[in-house]
Amino acid sequence: MPPNLNVLIRSRSLKLRLVVPDLGAPQLEDPISWVHSSDLEDPTPFLDQGQFLLTDGTQFPVEPPLGTTTAQAGAERPLSEFPTSQAYEEYVRRLVDHGIVGLGFATQVIHGTLPRGLQQACRNKNLPLLEVPDRTPFIAIIRMVADHLATEAHARAEWSLQAQRAISRAALRPDGLTSILGELERQLHSWVALYDASGTYVRMPRNRPVPSGISREIAQRVRSALDLGTRSASHLEVGGQLVTLQTLGRKGSLRGALVLGAIEPLDPARADIVNSVIGLASLALEQARTLDTARRHLRAGVFEQLLAGSTDVALRTARQVWGQLPRDPLLVTASRQENAAPNLLEALELLADDHRGAVFYAVRGELLVVLSGKAHQDKVLELLQRHGAVCGVSREATAETLPDALEEAARALRRATEVGSAVVEFSELSDSGMLGLLREEEAGPVARGLLQPLIAYDATENTKLLATVQEWFANNCVWDKTARRLGVHRHTLRNRIDAAGRILGLNLDGMRDRLELFAAVQFVEEAQK
């Protein structure tokens, strides 16, 4: 333990007397970082926080005994020149504000007794005050503190060496990562938590759980750190606890996060232990990365076999690695991988492991394709959306119709990208879209349904957006000609057409949505005739 004021008070050789506060006060246990002596009126520029200050009081004139009159004090130093209580208060306040742990005042050197004003100021500011007798040299106090600090440093170095050896031995066990984290928890006497790439807490058999009161906020902080996709270390205060959070893995491909709960900041020795564990854990996770890469190549191969109709070969391969493939009927979800979100593939790998055989994913060019049953589709979409992915979803399909389902998912993905939607299902295109219903006999009611938001907006806001759209199409979408026909500026026309597109959820700069709206307008006009 580092030295404190109680250590100095209990030393018989120093013979220090505690004046303020009473014995047993908690501030007497505050650690002393060093001892400094100064007789300056303001020594704080030369002091560091946590130091114990010694002074013989040269900066304070010697006070006359109680009851002394001006005549008794002598003409050379009138009573008005002696320090006031405010001067002592200012002196002590500066020490307290600077973080000084205590004041040692030598008597029988300059002052016969402790100044009464200084005692009262220390009591008011709750600054420990010790009387140093004349036969106790300051160097003796400094030497005792230095010896304790040296002993403490040696003990911490010895502990760090032994802890490093224990963690190294743990790394050699079959369950290396689990043993390492368990040993770290034992050495630091605090809880240690591991989170995977998706931000999910990984329960270790021998580790204490995260305190329930802060577990939710810790998980949120971990996910935020992982979503950044960069290596980082941060010290946070969560629920009154100081928490150290360190991401694991490489930039752009994090493998998880290590969270250490503690009641005080890590000292250098403990920080070294944590850094060693982070290095070993990162190494263990990196070793698994090569296996993950091989598995992803295998996934891509299995998916190509499914597309080619070699279902039996794909199933046999999948059984040996993943148990099985998703059963019919299944849904195909497509997401473009031009700017892949950090840790998305790692999170999908964990989801597939958690639901063995019910979720399968593969990377095919720029597309990330996920196969799943309807029961697990919500979890797939939740994960993809949490990583900022835009998705297109096919109708229910079978292994035999997988190529068609992939095309449906890709078309739905293109639509989601066009309209800025997070998820678009192909059924929305075929069931509600005008182009998908041109084969139907009763297209008029569907056209009115598509245009209903615009019709309702015109009725509510007393606008003529539908009429503007009709005139725009009647003039082959030529801006200047339509503007002249309507008697408005072309920029006003452009704003009205853009507003109509937003209300209908269509991108009228694209040919597909423009054709869909054109068809709807035609069917409505035919129904009105």
Side-chain angles (χ1 to χ4, degrees):
M1 291 291 293
N4 53 47
L5 293 178
N6 277 330
V7 171
L8 302 181
I9 295 168
R10 286 193 291 264
S11 172
R12 293 183 179 182
S13 62
L14 297 181
K15 300 178 182 179
L16 304 180
R17 182 176 71 88
L18 179 64
V19 180
V20 176
D22 297 331
L23 282 172
Q27 59 264 45
L28 299 179
E29 293 290 336
D30 292 342
I32 299 174
S33 62
W34 192 243
V35 181
H36 188 83
S37 63
S38 174
D39 298 327
L40 296 174
E41 290 185 5
D42 183 10
T44 55
F46 309 97
L47 302 177
D48 291 330
Q49 183 178 0
Q51 290 186 345
F52 178 49
L53 177 63
L54 299 174
T55 182
D56 60 14
T58 303
Q59 68 272 38
F60 302 121
V62 178
E63 297 179 356
L66 285 173
T68 302
T69 65
T70 303
Q72 292 171 332
E76 294 183 358
R77 185 180 288 274
L79 286 176
S80 60
E81 294 186 8
F82 292 108
T84 62
S85 59
Q86 183 177 358
Y88 287 120
E89 291 284 348
E90 287 295 318
Y91 176 78
V92 173
R93 180 190 59 77
R94 288 193 291 269
L95 299 183
V96 171
D97 291 346
H98 202 68
I100 302 304
V101 298
L103 175 64
F105 195 95
T107 55
Q108 302 301 320
V109 180
I110 303 298
H111 297 259
T113 60
L114 285 169
R116 294 181 297 276
L118 182 62
Q119 295 183 49
Q120 187 59 44
C122 288
R123 189 169 287 107
N124 293 340
K125 298 294 184 181
N126 205 23
L127 176 69
L129 174 63
L130 279 65
E131 182 181 358
V132 183
D134 63 333
R135 294 186 179 181
T136 300
F138 284 174
I139 191 61
I141 301 173
I142 296 173
R143 183 181 295 114
M144 176 171 285
V145 170
D147 289 345
H148 272 80
L149 290 174
T151 301
E152 172 69 13
H154 178 75
R156 298 304 296 172
E158 183 65 23
W159 172 85
S160 179
L161 180 60
Q162 295 300 326
Q164 294 274 12
R165 289 174 178 171
I167 288 174
S168 297
R169 288 193 297 269
L172 298 176
R173 296 171 188 160
D175 55 344
L177 185 56
T178 301
S179 298
I180 288 172
L181 299 181
E183 187 63 33
L184 177 64
E185 188 174 83
R186 189 180 72 83
Q187 293 290 340
L188 299 184
H189 305 289
S190 62
W191 56 266
V192 174
L194 180 67
Y195 290 80
D196 61 29
S198 66
T200 303
Y201 173 57
V202 180
R203 183 75 172 92
M204 294 293 182
R206 292 191 293 272
N207 284 40
R208 286 180 285 176
V210 178
S212 58
I214 62 174
S215 59
R216 184 184 297 273
E217 185 173 353
I218 291 291
Q220 292 174 349
R221 298 289 188 96
V222 167
R223 292 191 180 102
S224 298
L226 291 173
D227 288 344
L228 295 176
T230 58
R231 288 288 300 274
S232 64
S234 54
H235 304 284
L236 314 169
E237 183 174 348
V238 181
Q241 288 196 40
L242 293 177
V243 174
T244 300
L245 191 158
Q246 171 74 55
T247 56
L248 305 174
R250 296 181 299 176
K251 180 180 179 181
S253 187
L254 299 179
R255 302 304 301 266
L258 185 67
V259 181
L260 171 66
I263 58 175
E264 59 184 10
L266 295 176
D267 58 27
R270 296 196 298 170
D272 287 343
I273 297 299
V274 174
N275 289 334
S276 297
V277 169
I278 290 171
L280 290 170
S282 298
L283 179 60
L285 293 173
E286 285 298 324
Q287 289 174 341
R289 186 179 300 278
T290 302
L291 180 60
D292 288 346
T293 302
R295 285 178 175 174
R296 287 170 190 163
H297 287 309
L298 182 60
R299 286 180 178 278
V302 169
F303 187 67
E304 292 299 329
Q305 289 176 339
L306 289 173
L307 289 177
S310 303
T311 307
D312 292 340
V313 177
L315 287 174
R316 285 198 301 269
T317 305
R319 287 194 190 99
Q320 296 178 10
V321 183
W322 303 289
Q324 60 180 13
L325 291 173
R327 297 177 179 176
D328 298 341
L330 54 83
L331 295 170
V332 179
T333 302
S335 174
R336 195 165 300 281
Q337 287 293 286
E338 293 177 351
N339 296 305
N343 306 316
L344 175 56
L345 296 182
E346 285 82 358
L348 277 172
E349 188 71 44
L350 292 168
L351 181 66
D353 287 343
D354 290 341
H355 303 284
R356 195 167 178 81
V359 176
F360 179 86
Y361 79 93
V363 177
R364 190 170 192 263
E366 294 182 348
L367 284 183
L368 171 63
V369 184
V370 184
L371 309 182
S372 66
K374 192 172 184 179
H376 298 89
Q377 181 65 8
D378 289 344
K379 295 180 180 179
V380 171
L381 293 179
E382 179 185 356
L383 186 149
L384 291 173
Q385 290 180 55
R386 184 160 63 82
H387 286 79
V390 178
C391 310
V393 184
S394 72
R395 293 176 294 190
E396 287 190 344
T398 64
E400 286 73 20
T401 61
L402 184 59
D404 293 337
L406 178 60
E407 177 60 28
E408 291 178 358
R411 288 179 58 190
L413 173 61
R414 289 195 295 270
R415 179 60 179 273
T417 304
E418 289 173 358
V419 301
S421 178
V423 181
V424 168
E425 296 184 2
F426 184 78
S427 58
E428 299 175 18
L429 306 182
S430 61
D431 295 342
S432 300
M434 284 302 306
L435 293 181
L437 286 169
L438 287 177
R439 310 182 195 92
E440 301 290 337
E441 295 181 357
E442 297 182 5
V446 177
R448 285 193 297 273
L450 187 147
L451 293 174
Q452 185 58 40
L454 195 59
I455 296 171
Y457 184 90
D458 281 342
T460 303
E461 302 296 328
N462 195 25
T463 57
K464 297 181 179 180
L465 294 182
L466 178 57
T468 301
V469 169
Q470 291 172 325
E471 186 64 28
W472 184 51
F473 282 130
N475 291 281
N476 298 318
C477 301
V478 177
W479 298 103
D480 291 334
K481 182 178 180 181
T482 307
R484 286 195 301 270
R485 293 289 298 265
L486 294 174
V488 298
H489 194 275
R490 69 187 307 273
H491 292 315
T492 302
L493 172 64
R494 178 75 191 201
N495 291 335
R496 291 180 182 179
I497 297 299
D498 288 344
R502 286 194 299 272
I503 294 170
L504 296 173
L506 298 174
N507 178 14
L508 296 181
D509 287 332
M511 181 60 69
R512 185 186 188 284
D513 284 2
R514 188 177 289 188
L515 287 175
E516 185 153 343
L517 180 58
F518 173 79
V521 168
Q522 300 309 307
F523 279 105
V524 167
E525 290 177 345
E526 289 176 5
Q528 292 174 346
K529 293 179 180 179

